[in-house]
């Protein structure tokens, strides 16, 4: 089984408490670790990312000039464990899984890291 097949075949479940927001309510997001997906006005997935501070990172996305798309909505979920290594491992795993499964247009590095998977 190749590296690509193994990540696609992982039994990764996205948490049920996934949230959705628009630019007008990004301040409601907590300053916690998480994984997010950015959608354009047509509902098409543009980008998947992870961060240690969701509020700050989403603000950066909303205020930076994007190449070729406007952000309409963001779907995200928090990843929060007491152990920093475990949190980082889950962030990497979820981001890698979503990038490889959903193939967002603007994730330049389609081969997200495999170091924890």
């Amino acid at each position: 089984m190749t590296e690509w097949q193994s990540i696609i075949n992982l039994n990764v479940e996205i948490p049920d408490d996934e949230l959705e927001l628009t630019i007008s309510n990004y301040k409601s997001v907590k300053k916690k670790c998480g994984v997010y997906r950015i959608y354009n006005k047509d509902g098409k997935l543009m980008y998947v990312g992870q961060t240690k501070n969701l509020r700050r990172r989403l603000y950066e996305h909303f205020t930076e000039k994007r190449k070729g798309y406007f952000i309409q909505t963001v779907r995200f979920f928090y990843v929060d464990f007491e152990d920093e290594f475990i949190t980082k491992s889950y962030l990497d795993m979820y981001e890698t899984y979503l990038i490889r499964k959903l193939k967002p247009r603007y994730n330049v590095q389609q081969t997200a890291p495999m170091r924890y998977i």
Side-chain angles (χ1 to χ4, degrees):
M1 180 179 302
T2 69
E3 188 176 289
W4 280 92
Q5 291 168 327
S6 63
I7 188 66
I8 296 299
N9 294 331
L10 272 178
N11 189 16
V12 176
E13 293 187 27
I14 302 304
D16 291 335
D17 57 350
E18 187 174 47
L19 303 168
E20 184 173 301
L21 63 91
T22 61
I23 191 168
S24 61
N25 59 358
Y26 84 90
K27 288 184 180 180
S28 65
V29 177
K30 297 175 185 172
K31 297 176 183 178
K32 294 174 96 177
C33 297
V35 176
Y36 59 94
R37 294 180 285 169
I38 294 176
Y39 294 85
N40 69 4
K41 63 181 173 135
D42 299 324
K44 184 173 178 168
L45 178 64
M46 296 286 107
Y47 186 78
V48 171
Q50 63 162 295
T51 181
K52 290 183 179 182
N53 184 333
L54 269 167
R55 183 188 296 177
R56 179 189 47 79
R57 187 66 185 119
L58 293 179
Y59 173 77
E60 290 170 0
H61 275 294
F62 284 137
T63 57
E64 291 175 1
K65 291 182 181 176
R66 300 272 53 107
K67 295 180 181 178
Y69 67 95
F70 293 97
I71 299 170
Q72 179 68 30
T73 59
V74 176
R75 292 190 185 127
F76 67 95
F77 55 91
Y78 298 108
V79 177
D80 191 21
F81 295 93
E82 288 184 25
D83 184 284
E84 188 176 329
F85 177 79
I86 292 173
T87 297
K88 179 65 176 145
S89 298
Y90 270 86
L91 286 171
D92 287 340
M93 179 185 67
Y94 285 134
E95 180 189 36
T96 300
Y97 174 76
L98 289 171
I99 289 171
R100 297 228 173 139
K101 182 175 181 183
L102 304 175
K103 298 177 179 45
R105 181 174 181 183
Y106 288 98
N107 280 95
V108 177
Q109 188 178 1
Q110 289 287 326
T111 56
M114 292 289 295
R115 62 183 166 260
Y116 300 113
I117 300 173

